[in-house]
Amino acid sequence: MWAYFTRRVLIAIPTLWVVITVAFFLMRLAPGGPFDQEAPLPPEIMANLKAAYGLDQPLWWQYLNYLGGLLQGDFGPSFKYKDFTVTELIGQGFPVSIQNGVAALTLTILIGIPLGAMAALRQNSSADHAAMTVAMTGIVIPNFVVGPLLALVFGIWLKETVFALPVGGWNNGAFENRILPVICLALPFIAYVARITRASLIETLRTNYVRTARAKGLPFRMVVLRHAFKTAMIPVVTYLGPATVFLLTGSMVIETIFSLPGIGRYFVQGALNRDYTLVMGVTILAASLVIFLNLFVDLAYAWLDPKVRYE
Amino acid sequence: MSTVLEINHLTVSFDTPDGAVQAVNDVSLLVEEGECVGLVGESGSGKSQTFMAAMGLLADNATVSGAIHFEGSNLLTANEKELNKLRGERIAMIFQDPMTSLTPHMKIGRQLAEVLIEHRGVGKAEARKQARAMLERVHFPEAERRLDMYPHELSGGLRQRVMIAMALMCEPAMLIADEPTTALDVTVQAQILDLLMEIKDSLGTAIVLITHDLGVVAGLADRVAVMYGGRIVEKGAVADMFESPAHPYTQGLLACTPRLDEDITALVTIPGQPPNAQSLPGGCSFHPRCTYVTERCKAERPILETTAKYRAKACHLDALEAAE
């Protein structure tokens, strides 16, 4: 088990290196550069800027230089947010995204799984249809519609009531400020987890071993919780791994709608601005999370299904 | 001998998108204390569903009528709670496929112990001790060590022994074995059948043996019922039936069973296909495949008539012969 864990962590290093390399060169393939503006800069100034950031060097040299910096924990300066290093930008934004992400993930698990399980146990009842209709709605309505709708309801219609909620700003992570963005972030994930849980549990309830458990005279509640539930969670865990990466790294749409200082916006803005180092920084962060969570999911499989063994 | 289980005019049908499927039609059957009843038939003849109905394990789209009496209660009208008191405690069932019939993420010791914990309220340690004792009783080698194994770490034969031990934990009055050896190697099959035999003799458990294998029935059962198209077409004491099968279908089945004491040149089959439960043929369900078919067989369904003690058949044949 520990040997497996160590090996997976070691494999992560070349994986990350490949991600870094591909991202580095892909970024440079995109036309334009970080200092291109509508009104072109005088050539002398442009040359000076490029020299200051090392962009006048050959590409392979820039690449080696960047890797060398990474090895020392230096993600470089941001090209667009002057006076900030990438480490500082991520250091400021990531805690915001993480806090909302963890809250949304908790809601996803605490609401999505019981909702799906309830629907599965009352398959084809009106409760099942209602839950699945709501879940489908949650999946198909994009968050750039849900966000403003929530803002409209809780910020304007309910403005004079006790239900009024702030519709923007971080406010040092105040609870009220986080309610709407977290709901908006979690909604499609709750819906998806509910649907996966339902389908998976229905399938598990049809297995031979659930029939055996019923033939043993166990109360149905025990049959479900003890004999069916663990196996039914396998697809849910598979889905939650990558979903967690998305939740933790923030959503550009939600951070824009609710004016949150998270890092989701850096993915898009960084790429549009050709802010090479910032894009690399968030890419490395996301890739590391993907690698870590995949490892976590694989370890969870071994717990859910003893047939899975890692040596 | 007193009666353990009495099935009266049981009918089971399934509501499917393609229409109703008649799986079991007017089946009546007795199981007496400590005896072994074999229920024989092809796939889809309704033999498993008859006892799924008894266990309350029919699929949700099933409709049942008739009655199944077990120790004074009607299993068909009992609610889930009443059924749970009997299932695993007084009436137990083992299934065809031991590979998939045990919960994969639970150690076998826990799966065995939970039967006792649930029904008898015994403590964990005591339940584990009894689980080990029961495993030893079904000749499960190295029981103590293997209590902490998961099902996938055991062979098919061992898993079926776990299933049998699990069914016997509360020493039930009746054990339903649904094709208990079908998924196993031939040598393991023989061991499992020996074990069932031993259980019947030593514990006095009534056994219902559901199978398509006449050889299995011949070795183990006291009485046999043959099902075709959801109905019992013939029943009787096992020696009697094998000696002089009265129904053409039983005759056909026996003719199909290869025998060691005869030279075999070609395997015999019953011509035609098993009937479709959705559109059973009119008259006698077997008539399209029967060599002795008459006009009467096509028009009128023969009723199951008792011809001697324990002996009954549903066929017009004798009546015809008498008339000639």
Short mmCIF file of all heavy atoms in Angstrom, two decimals, chain A residues 90-132:
data_model
loop_
_atom_site.label_atom_id
_atom_site.label_comp_id
_atom_site.label_asym_id
_atom_site.label_seq_id
_atom_site.Cartn_x
_atom_site.Cartn_y
_atom_site.Cartn_z
N ILE A 90 -1.75 33.68 -6.86
CA ILE A 90 -2.43 32.42 -6.51
C ILE A 90 -2.63 32.34 -5.00
O ILE A 90 -3.69 31.92 -4.51
CB ILE A 90 -1.63 31.21 -7.04
CG1 ILE A 90 -1.69 31.20 -8.58
CG2 ILE A 90 -2.20 29.90 -6.49
CD1 ILE A 90 -0.93 30.08 -9.22
N GLY A 91 -1.63 32.79 -4.26
CA GLY A 91 -1.72 32.77 -2.80
C GLY A 91 -2.88 33.60 -2.28
O GLY A 91 -3.51 33.26 -1.28
N GLN A 92 -3.21 34.68 -2.99
CA GLN A 92 -4.35 35.50 -2.56
C GLN A 92 -5.68 34.89 -2.98
O GLN A 92 -6.65 34.90 -2.24
CB GLN A 92 -4.25 36.90 -3.18
CG GLN A 92 -3.19 37.77 -2.54
CD GLN A 92 -2.87 38.99 -3.40
OE1 GLN A 92 -3.56 39.27 -4.38
NE2 GLN A 92 -1.82 39.71 -3.04
N GLY A 93 -5.69 34.38 -4.24
CA GLY A 93 -6.97 33.92 -4.80
C GLY A 93 -7.36 32.51 -4.40
O GLY A 93 -8.54 32.21 -4.21
N PHE A 94 -6.37 31.64 -4.26
CA PHE A 94 -6.68 30.23 -4.05
C PHE A 94 -7.47 29.97 -2.77
O PHE A 94 -8.42 29.18 -2.78
CB PHE A 94 -5.39 29.40 -4.11
CG PHE A 94 -5.62 27.92 -4.28
CD1 PHE A 94 -6.66 27.44 -5.08
CD2 PHE A 94 -4.80 27.00 -3.64
CE1 PHE A 94 -6.87 26.09 -5.24
CE2 PHE A 94 -5.01 25.64 -3.80
CZ PHE A 94 -6.05 25.19 -4.59
N PRO A 95 -7.11 30.62 -1.64
CA PRO A 95 -7.89 30.37 -0.41
C PRO A 95 -9.37 30.69 -0.60
O PRO A 95 -10.24 29.98 -0.08
CB PRO A 95 -7.25 31.32 0.61
CG PRO A 95 -5.86 31.51 0.12
CD PRO A 95 -5.95 31.50 -1.37
N VAL A 96 -9.67 31.74 -1.35
CA VAL A 96 -11.08 32.09 -1.62
C VAL A 96 -11.75 30.96 -2.38
O VAL A 96 -12.83 30.46 -2.01
CB VAL A 96 -11.14 33.40 -2.44
CG1 VAL A 96 -12.58 33.68 -2.86
CG2 VAL A 96 -10.57 34.55 -1.62
N SER A 97 -11.10 30.50 -3.47
CA SER A 97 -11.68 29.44 -4.29
C SER A 97 -11.82 28.15 -3.50
O SER A 97 -12.82 27.44 -3.61
CB SER A 97 -10.82 29.19 -5.52
OG SER A 97 -10.77 30.34 -6.31
N ILE A 98 -10.80 27.84 -2.69
CA ILE A 98 -10.85 26.60 -1.90
C ILE A 98 -12.01 26.63 -0.92
O ILE A 98 -12.79 25.69 -0.82
CB ILE A 98 -9.53 26.42 -1.10
CG1 ILE A 98 -8.46 25.85 -1.99
CG2 ILE A 98 -9.76 25.48 0.07
CD1 ILE A 98 -7.27 25.30 -1.24
N GLN A 99 -12.17 27.75 -0.21
CA GLN A 99 -13.24 27.81 0.80
C GLN A 99 -14.60 27.61 0.18
O GLN A 99 -15.43 26.86 0.69
CB GLN A 99 -13.19 29.15 1.54
CG GLN A 99 -12.02 29.23 2.51
CD GLN A 99 -11.98 30.58 3.21
OE1 GLN A 99 -12.95 30.99 3.82
NE2 GLN A 99 -10.85 31.25 3.11
N ASN A 100 -14.83 28.28 -0.97
CA ASN A 100 -16.12 28.09 -1.64
C ASN A 100 -16.23 26.69 -2.22
O ASN A 100 -17.29 26.07 -2.19
CB ASN A 100 -16.29 29.12 -2.76
CG ASN A 100 -16.77 30.44 -2.19
OD1 ASN A 100 -17.14 30.53 -1.03
ND2 ASN A 100 -16.74 31.47 -3.03
N GLY A 101 -15.10 26.20 -2.74
CA GLY A 101 -15.10 24.85 -3.33
C GLY A 101 -15.41 23.78 -2.31
O GLY A 101 -16.23 22.90 -2.56
N VAL A 102 -14.79 23.86 -1.15
CA VAL A 102 -15.03 22.86 -0.11
C VAL A 102 -16.47 22.92 0.36
O VAL A 102 -17.14 21.89 0.54
CB VAL A 102 -14.05 23.05 1.07
CG1 VAL A 102 -14.48 22.21 2.27
CG2 VAL A 102 -12.64 22.67 0.65
N ALA A 103 -16.99 24.14 0.51
CA ALA A 103 -18.40 24.28 0.93
C ALA A 103 -19.32 23.67 -0.12
O ALA A 103 -20.26 22.94 0.22
CB ALA A 103 -18.73 25.76 1.13
N ALA A 104 -19.03 23.94 -1.40
CA ALA A 104 -19.88 23.40 -2.48
C ALA A 104 -19.76 21.89 -2.54
O ALA A 104 -20.76 21.18 -2.75
CB ALA A 104 -19.48 24.02 -3.82
N LEU A 105 -18.56 21.37 -2.32
CA LEU A 105 -18.35 19.92 -2.34
C LEU A 105 -19.13 19.25 -1.21
O LEU A 105 -19.77 18.21 -1.39
CB LEU A 105 -16.85 19.62 -2.21
CG LEU A 105 -16.45 18.15 -2.25
CD1 LEU A 105 -16.75 17.55 -3.61
CD2 LEU A 105 -14.97 17.98 -1.94
N THR A 106 -19.10 19.89 -0.02
CA THR A 106 -19.83 19.35 1.12
C THR A 106 -21.33 19.30 0.81
O THR A 106 -21.99 18.29 1.04
CB THR A 106 -19.58 20.24 2.36
OG1 THR A 106 -18.17 20.43 2.47
CG2 THR A 106 -20.09 19.58 3.61
N LEU A 107 -21.85 20.39 0.24
CA LEU A 107 -23.27 20.41 -0.13
C LEU A 107 -23.57 19.31 -1.14
O LEU A 107 -24.59 18.62 -1.05
CB LEU A 107 -23.63 21.76 -0.76
CG LEU A 107 -23.91 22.93 0.16
CD1 LEU A 107 -24.44 24.11 -0.66
CD2 LEU A 107 -24.93 22.55 1.22
N THR A 108 -22.66 19.15 -2.10
CA THR A 108 -22.86 18.15 -3.15
C THR A 108 -23.01 16.76 -2.54
O THR A 108 -23.92 16.01 -2.90
CB THR A 108 -21.65 18.15 -4.11
OG1 THR A 108 -21.54 19.45 -4.67
CG2 THR A 108 -21.81 17.13 -5.20
N ILE A 109 -22.14 16.45 -1.59
CA ILE A 109 -22.17 15.11 -0.99
C ILE A 109 -23.38 14.97 -0.06
O ILE A 109 -24.11 13.99 -0.12
CB ILE A 109 -20.86 14.85 -0.22
CG1 ILE A 109 -19.71 14.74 -1.22
CG2 ILE A 109 -20.95 13.60 0.63
CD1 ILE A 109 -18.33 14.76 -0.60
N LEU A 110 -23.60 16.00 0.77
CA LEU A 110 -24.66 15.89 1.77
C LEU A 110 -26.06 15.96 1.18
O LEU A 110 -27.01 15.44 1.77
CB LEU A 110 -24.50 16.99 2.83
CG LEU A 110 -23.30 16.85 3.75
CD1 LEU A 110 -23.32 17.91 4.83
CD2 LEU A 110 -23.28 15.45 4.38
N ILE A 111 -26.21 16.60 0.02
CA ILE A 111 -27.54 16.67 -0.58
C ILE A 111 -27.67 15.71 -1.75
O ILE A 111 -28.65 14.99 -1.88
CB ILE A 111 -27.86 18.12 -1.04
CG1 ILE A 111 -27.82 19.06 0.15
CG2 ILE A 111 -29.22 18.17 -1.73
CD1 ILE A 111 -28.01 20.51 -0.20
N GLY A 112 -26.65 15.68 -2.60
CA GLY A 112 -26.73 14.88 -3.82
C GLY A 112 -26.92 13.40 -3.56
O GLY A 112 -27.80 12.77 -4.15
N ILE A 113 -26.11 12.84 -2.66
CA ILE A 113 -26.16 11.39 -2.43
C ILE A 113 -27.48 10.97 -1.78
O ILE A 113 -28.16 10.07 -2.29
CB ILE A 113 -24.93 10.92 -1.62
CG1 ILE A 113 -23.66 11.09 -2.48
CG2 ILE A 113 -25.07 9.46 -1.20
CD1 ILE A 113 -22.36 10.78 -1.78
N PRO A 114 -27.91 11.63 -0.67
CA PRO A 114 -29.21 11.23 -0.10
C PRO A 114 -30.38 11.43 -1.07
O PRO A 114 -31.28 10.60 -1.13
CB PRO A 114 -29.36 12.16 1.11
CG PRO A 114 -27.98 12.57 1.46
CD PRO A 114 -27.23 12.61 0.17
N LEU A 115 -30.33 12.50 -1.86
CA LEU A 115 -31.41 12.75 -2.81
C LEU A 115 -31.49 11.62 -3.83
O LEU A 115 -32.57 11.09 -4.13
CB LEU A 115 -31.14 14.09 -3.52
CG LEU A 115 -32.29 14.68 -4.33
CD1 LEU A 115 -33.40 15.13 -3.41
CD2 LEU A 115 -31.80 15.86 -5.16
N GLY A 116 -30.33 11.23 -4.37
CA GLY A 116 -30.29 10.15 -5.35
C GLY A 116 -30.71 8.83 -4.74
O GLY A 116 -31.45 8.05 -5.36
N ALA A 117 -30.27 8.57 -3.50
CA ALA A 117 -30.61 7.31 -2.84
C ALA A 117 -32.12 7.25 -2.59
O ALA A 117 -32.76 6.22 -2.84
CB ALA A 117 -29.85 7.19 -1.52
N MET A 118 -32.68 8.37 -2.16
CA MET A 118 -34.12 8.42 -1.92
C MET A 118 -34.90 8.13 -3.21
O MET A 118 -35.85 7.37 -3.22
CB MET A 118 -34.50 9.79 -1.36
CG MET A 118 -35.94 9.94 -0.96
SD MET A 118 -36.49 11.63 -1.24
CE MET A 118 -36.66 11.64 -3.01
N ALA A 119 -34.43 8.74 -4.30
CA ALA A 119 -35.10 8.52 -5.58
C ALA A 119 -35.00 7.05 -5.99
O ALA A 119 -35.97 6.47 -6.50
CB ALA A 119 -34.49 9.42 -6.65
N ALA A 120 -33.84 6.44 -5.75
CA ALA A 120 -33.65 5.04 -6.15
C ALA A 120 -34.56 4.12 -5.35
O ALA A 120 -35.14 3.18 -5.89
CB ALA A 120 -32.19 4.63 -5.95
N LEU A 121 -34.70 4.41 -4.04
CA LEU A 121 -35.50 3.53 -3.19
C LEU A 121 -36.99 3.70 -3.45
O LEU A 121 -37.78 2.81 -3.15
CB LEU A 121 -35.20 3.80 -1.72
CG LEU A 121 -33.75 3.49 -1.33
CD1 LEU A 121 -33.49 3.83 0.12
CD2 LEU A 121 -33.44 2.02 -1.58
N ARG A 122 -37.36 4.85 -4.00
CA ARG A 122 -38.77 5.06 -4.36
C ARG A 122 -38.88 5.16 -5.87
O ARG A 122 -39.54 6.05 -6.40
CB ARG A 122 -39.30 6.35 -3.72
CG ARG A 122 -39.40 6.28 -2.23
CD ARG A 122 -39.85 7.63 -1.68
NE ARG A 122 -40.06 7.60 -0.26
CZ ARG A 122 -39.08 7.52 0.64
NH1 ARG A 122 -37.83 7.49 0.24
NH2 ARG A 122 -39.36 7.49 1.93
N GLN A 123 -38.19 4.25 -6.55
CA GLN A 123 -38.10 4.33 -8.00
C GLN A 123 -39.48 4.43 -8.64
O GLN A 123 -40.40 3.69 -8.28
CB GLN A 123 -37.39 3.08 -8.52
CG GLN A 123 -36.86 3.24 -9.92
CD GLN A 123 -36.41 1.90 -10.49
OE1 GLN A 123 -36.21 0.95 -9.74
NE2 GLN A 123 -36.25 1.83 -11.79
N ASN A 124 -39.60 5.37 -9.59
CA ASN A 124 -40.82 5.61 -10.36
C ASN A 124 -41.98 6.16 -9.54
O ASN A 124 -43.10 6.21 -10.01
CB ASN A 124 -41.28 4.34 -11.09
CG ASN A 124 -40.27 3.92 -12.13
OD1 ASN A 124 -39.57 4.78 -12.70
ND2 ASN A 124 -40.15 2.64 -12.38
N SER A 125 -41.71 6.57 -8.28
CA SER A 125 -42.76 7.23 -7.52
C SER A 125 -42.75 8.71 -7.90
O SER A 125 -41.86 9.18 -8.61
CB SER A 125 -42.49 7.09 -6.03
OG SER A 125 -41.35 7.86 -5.69
N SER A 126 -43.72 9.46 -7.38
CA SER A 126 -43.74 10.88 -7.72
C SER A 126 -42.55 11.60 -7.07
O SER A 126 -42.02 12.56 -7.63
CB SER A 126 -45.07 11.50 -7.29
OG SER A 126 -45.39 11.07 -5.99
N ALA A 127 -42.11 11.11 -5.89
CA ALA A 127 -40.94 11.72 -5.25
C ALA A 127 -39.71 11.54 -6.14
O ALA A 127 -38.89 12.46 -6.30
CB ALA A 127 -40.70 11.08 -3.88
N ASP A 128 -39.58 10.35 -6.72
CA ASP A 128 -38.47 10.06 -7.63
C ASP A 128 -38.53 11.00 -8.83
O ASP A 128 -37.55 11.67 -9.17
CB ASP A 128 -38.56 8.60 -8.08
CG ASP A 128 -37.51 8.23 -9.12
OD1 ASP A 128 -36.47 8.93 -9.18
OD2 ASP A 128 -37.71 7.25 -9.85
N HIS A 129 -39.69 11.08 -9.46
CA HIS A 129 -39.81 11.94 -10.65
C HIS A 129 -39.52 13.39 -10.31
O HIS A 129 -38.84 14.08 -11.07
CB HIS A 129 -41.21 11.79 -11.26
CG HIS A 129 -41.45 10.44 -11.85
ND1 HIS A 129 -40.56 9.86 -12.73
CD2 HIS A 129 -42.45 9.55 -11.68
CE1 HIS A 129 -41.01 8.66 -13.07
NE2 HIS A 129 -42.15 8.45 -12.44
N ALA A 130 -40.04 13.84 -9.16
CA ALA A 130 -39.80 15.23 -8.76
C ALA A 130 -38.31 15.48 -8.56
O ALA A 130 -37.74 16.44 -9.10
CB ALA A 130 -40.57 15.54 -7.47
N ALA A 131 -37.65 14.59 -7.82
CA ALA A 131 -36.22 14.77 -7.55
C ALA A 131 -35.42 14.78 -8.84
O ALA A 131 -34.52 15.60 -9.04
CB ALA A 131 -35.73 13.66 -6.62
N MET A 132 -35.75 13.87 -9.76
CA MET A 132 -34.97 13.77 -10.99
C MET A 132 -35.26 14.94 -11.94
O MET A 132 -34.40 15.35 -12.70
CB MET A 132 -35.23 12.43 -11.68
CG MET A 132 -34.53 11.29 -10.96
SD MET A 132 -32.75 11.56 -10.70
CE MET A 132 -32.67 11.72 -8.93
#
